[in-house]
Amino acid sequence: MSKILVTGASGDIGKKTVLHLLKKRPASELIALVRDPAKAEDLAALGVELRQGDYLDRESLTRAFRGAEKLMLTSTHAFTDRKTAHANVIDVAAEAGVQHLVYMPIYRKAGSTFTMTEITEEDIFSIERLRSSGVAYTLVQHPPFMEPAIMYAGPNAVETGVRVPAGNHKFTAATRDDLAAAHAAVLTGTGHEGKSYYLSGAPAVSWADIARILSEIHGKDVPYIAISDEEYIKSMAALGFPDFVSPFILKWVQGMNQGEWEEVTNDLETLIGRKPTTPAEYLRSVAEAAQAQKSAP
């Protein structure tokens, strides 16, 4: 019986990947790697085997990866030692006899000179490590997550407008749930070894488009207001982000404005077997959830 192991399974996209795998494989074939099993009790209740492990503890990974045929390397978050963490997972997977490893770097447009601190260098390192590992692999390259769209648009965007630095390019985004469904499709499918997919959402939108969508959803004029980088950083700091995080968020917005993620592919739709969630659908669901919360007794 082949086993599929998902790392980072107590995090948002890792857990969603496991939940989508449960739609395709019995729980007895799934392993969830977590640092703290208490944070994945819901997966254990569904019959998924939990194995404790830490990306920075190779011995724990050696124990956890035993018997795994396929492995999903869920990227660890920024502002950690991502190179060591990912290298450990890749190296131990090779030693443990894992036959197929799926990795989720952020998409980088061909010939791009755009770089992101905490992302670009670490992703390039991890891909090169994977290519030299001897393990069959698939790259499922991500666009920006849809979920932070409202936050990136600025605090209280519906009330005060979409306030971001100027830029005319469009960008794609995809929900974590759609991306997780694609992960599950690759992990349970055939013929994906050696492939590289760009899991773009659709359609591509600009910040002006986001303002228009919000206007239509809320029945009021939500303007698009271009602001300086300095003002944007201050607006993110006002949301409570630490000083080192606000410039990181700004860099995402700059990449969106420069067209780093403007390409639209059919890869995500093909893998999940349906149209991915659009920005308008997602933003409408956010508005409906907020309204339902207000109406709740």
Side-chain angles (χ1 to χ4, degrees), residues 5 103 109 203 213 271:
L5 185 146
Y103 174 54
K109 189 160 66 172
I213 291 168
L271 286 169

Side-chain angles (χ1 to χ4, degrees), residues 168-196:
N168 296 321
H169 281 278
K170 294 179 182 284
F171 58 90
T172 60
T175 66
R176 291 184 178 97
D177 192 64
D178 284 350
L179 294 170
H183 299 170
V186 172
L187 288 162
T188 57
T190 59
H192 299 294
E193 293 84 352
K195 300 289 183 63
S196 181

Side-chain angles (χ1 to χ4, degrees), residues 22-43:
L22 282 167
K23 299 174 184 178
K24 296 173 175 291
R25 291 289 187 272
S28 59
E29 295 181 12
L30 305 181
I31 304 167
L33 181 78
V34 294
R35 282 187 297 179
D36 181 0
K39 293 182 179 179
E41 291 179 348
D42 52 342
L43 294 180

Side-chain angles (χ1 to χ4, degrees), residues 113-195:
T113 58
F114 178 76
T115 60
M116 294 182 65
T117 302
E118 301 289 331
I119 298 292
T120 307
E121 182 180 333
E122 290 78 2
D123 276 353
I124 291 172
F125 168 87
S126 300
I127 292 169
E128 289 304 314
R129 191 70 163 232
L130 189 52
R131 285 174 174 160
S132 63
S133 69
V135 179
Y137 66 89
T138 305
L139 299 180
V140 284
Q141 301 172 97
H142 283 189
F145 290 142
M146 185 86 74
E147 287 81 355
I150 286 292
M151 180 190 73
Y152 289 172
N156 305 313
V158 175
E159 287 73 31
T160 62
V162 173
R163 303 172 64 88
V164 295
N168 296 321
H169 281 278
K170 294 179 182 284
F171 58 90
T172 60
T175 66
R176 291 184 178 97
D177 192 64
D178 284 350
L179 294 170
H183 299 170
V186 172
L187 288 162
T188 57
T190 59
H192 299 294
E193 293 84 352
K195 300 289 183 63

Side-chain angles (χ1 to χ4, degrees), residues 62-135:
T62 298
R63 292 191 299 270
F65 291 178
R66 287 190 187 118
E69 179 186 1
K70 297 184 179 183
L71 186 146
M72 176 77 211
L73 170 50
T74 306
S75 295
T76 192
H77 53 80
F79 308 107
T80 61
D81 187 357
R82 298 180 74 233
K83 286 185 179 180
T84 300
H86 292 175
N88 283 345
V89 172
I90 293 166
D91 293 350
V92 173
E95 294 166 3
V98 170
Q99 296 178 29
H100 184 195
L101 192 151
V102 181
Y103 174 54
M104 44 173 277
I106 301 301
Y107 177 73
R108 193 158 189 253
K109 189 160 66 172
S112 174
T113 58
F114 178 76
T115 60
M116 294 182 65
T117 302
E118 301 289 331
I119 298 292
T120 307
E121 182 180 333
E122 290 78 2
D123 276 353
I124 291 172
F125 168 87
S126 300
I127 292 169
E128 289 304 314
R129 191 70 163 232
L130 189 52
R131 285 174 174 160
S132 63
S133 69
V135 179

Side-chain angles (χ1 to χ4, degrees), residues 282-294:
Y282 174 72
L283 292 171
R284 186 172 296 280
S285 72
V286 170
E288 291 172 350
Q291 184 59 44
Q293 189 173 23
K294 286 181 182 179

